[in-house]
Amino acid sequence: MKYIYRFEEGNKDMRRLLGGKGANLAQMTTMGFPVPSGFTISTEACKAFYDNDNQLNDETLAQIDEALDQLSTKVGKQFNSLTNPLLVSVRSGAAISMPGMMDTILNIGLNDQTVQVLAQITDNERFAYDSYRRLLAMFGNVVYEIPEDTFDQILEDTKMTNHYESDLDLTVEDLHTIVGKFKALYIAEAGKEFPQDPKVQLLAAVNAVFESWNNHRAQVYRRENHIAGDLGTAVNVQMMVFGNAGEDSGTGVAFTRNPATGENQLFGEYLLNAQGEDVVAGIRTPQPISTLADTMPDLYNEFVATAKKLEIHYRDMQDLEFTIEHGTLYMLQARNGKRTPTAAVKIAVDLVEEGLISRTEALLRINPDSVGAILYPEFDEKELKQNQPAASGLPASPGAASGQIYFTAESAKAAHDEQHQQVILVRQDTSPEDIEGMVISEAIVTSRGGMTSHAAVVARGMGTPATVGVNGLQVDYKNGIATIAGTELQEGDWLSVDGTNGNLYLGKIQTNDSKVNDDLSTILDWSKQEGDLGVYANADTPADFAQALKFGADGIGLTRTEHMFFKPERLLEMRRLIIAEDAEEREAPLEELLQMQQGDFYELFRLSEGRSVTIRLLDPPLHEFLPHDAREIAKVSGQLGIDPDYLARRVDALKEINPMLGHRGDRLAVTFPDIYEMQVRAIIGAALELHDQGLENQPHIMIPLTGSKVEMSWVRGIVVNQVESLFNQQGIRLKYTVGTMMEIPRACLTADKVAEVSDFFSFGTNDLTQLTYGFSRDDVGSFMPKYIEKGILKADPFQTVDVDGVGELMKMAVENGRFTKGDLPIGVCGEIGGDPKSIEFFESINVSYVSCSPYRVPVARLAAAQAKIKMSKKKDVLANYVKS
């Protein structure tokens, strides 16, 4: 099998085999761009590595020897040469970009002998030993797992002793000493010497990169970004070019458009006399790429032209890495750039307007989950005016957030998981090891680094606000103190971060949600045109519904009436209703609640302006409304004017061993029909009131927890009797429907019969999943993470639909329900209705609409369009196959 490909042999369409970096290096090579020569060890070699007990097999080893010989012949350099030594970099490159998650080693081929040769042929001893100390640090960390901080501490001690401001101040003598100390670390920390044989260095580095595919941070990143674990990584071996060869050399990272805003303007940074890791790690503060136009104008113009050609070729914003060696430009990487959700939307719209991509391509390029993040919170203007920024940095990732600060990923994660705190990770700089703390943080702050530093890139990819390179911020990890402009903060103190403008504020500031911008509005309009699924909102209050309408909701797919009873004055009447011992005692509280509910429904119908509004009748167990301990019982008994002992007995009588499977849903209608009758009168009364004012509405009344046709028919009778009674009283008739929530497996299995007495179905996926699996949805936290970690479940079935089990029941219910009624409307309500992966399944089984929380409406809208586009493509492929 062929495991290795020279750059000249590949192209951009070989990502799965060569990884993204390798495929793009090959493409740039064939397009004639200045790419240092090299070869790619494929993902197939990675899989073979894992099949061979984490060892390179003989075939791979033989092909590496052959590829090295070909590279040496092409560039005129050889490992261990006393006249012109070959030095290479070893870099990972997965098929799907995972920036910073796997390992890189530069300057392989240097040793005690070749470092002297490099010094002689370049006439630059400082450059040679600077490169050697970098190799020793990276190789020791990646291959021998010597902590990176151990090497950094030696550097920091040297600079502190000599009062140096940066690494550039290190002298040749300093570097000789540092190299010696680094080599001694190998013995002290790993019990091994640094290998002097370049071939041994290379093979060890390749092994380490393959092993890094399964390191902890890479696994966390894949889990967070839903990347398959069996893809493997490729390894790119490339001749070194040196950005640290002097003041006419440098290294940088650039994006063809602004990755934070999407603005069509070259955006990037560079450092003179540095290697690439210096930019990414944020060790030194880089310069904006625009200043390169002043220092090296010809090279800058060459880079601008190259960037433009690559963007047009790939038809997307590009993330470019480059090195300048003695005034000559070399391209080290081109890939589709990571961007904020705001930038993703703007770039997609702009590329359509520029004629580079179609509307459907634009829609498919945007991650639906990220759309919600575009509605970034902003600090409340009134509060902001009362606060002055304590410090400022670079606005690396937009949005505003307040949280309690922590200085390590471990402490941040513990505070989040164990104490349920909103946390902000504050660091000098971040590294891939911090990924778990970054994932759960409300915002990320670093004192070092630029807009292309690790912290900036990862935060933008996650849609997390971030401010980097903060002037006046210092973090003392040892003593657990951060100093911001002279103010000391300890772990747990509150900090507010504005990633949109880079400001930091001491304390907590209220945030407000921002509005849909023009670009997002365009995407949502295109999505509505392309998609078939209706997108409705779960809205229990007028405020919820108003917000959903701003996001383009088609109406309300679920109003949970029980949520309307938790306001203090309503809760009191609800408690009075529940403890009543007969229908007569229930009359007074029911009348009070009727007036309150009718007012609620009136506002929802008024806001709808004729849009569909589906209202679910009372669902939860009655005991949820009652006091649960002696102190609360004493308080409530006083409010109700009844004996505490009597209330305690009534509370005890209403307790259930398993309330989620007990006296709730339509079972309440069977035992307490007057409760449902009150709600129906409130719904229809509100609709009639608006009818008198000239506003027409068609109420959709949903009965929860139906298990059979007989049960549905019985409860429907209660509803219809009340509706018809009101119509007769008013002498007016309105259109209305009565449907059921399909959340019991038996209802799905007998959907053809249930449909005979239902005007619509709406799947309640939480209860359907709970009853299908036998999981308590309130208690899965104790075991669900382990099930996912061990691969027993691919995902939490309460977050993404279980296609094989729950999905099969849904599919059966859709088919059988429509066998009875061909035009039966069928929806999905609950948060799973806003999950993009689930929506793709719902599209495939011909669901009519989904309903989700207001802030998920834009997400669901885009996901619905993508599902339709993908489905159409599959049908086209199938049709072409049949024709052929």
Side-chain angles (χ1 to χ4, degrees), residues 503-518:
N503 289 338
L504 302 184
Y505 302 86
L506 301 180
K508 185 177 182 180
I509 300 176
Q510 180 182 334
T511 57
N512 296 323
D513 294 320
S514 60
K515 300 176 182 177
V516 175
N517 62 34
D518 291 341

Side-chain angles (χ1 to χ4, degrees), residues 48 81 185 197-198 220 297 384 389 399 424 495 526 542 619 639 645 655 678 689 699 719 744:
S81 169
L185 269 183
D197 185 339
V220 171
L384 203 57
I424 289 179
L495 184 70
W526 291 350
D619 182 40
Q639 292 172 332
D645 292 336
K655 283 183 180 176
M678 176 273 292
E689 188 178 350
V719 173
I744 292 181

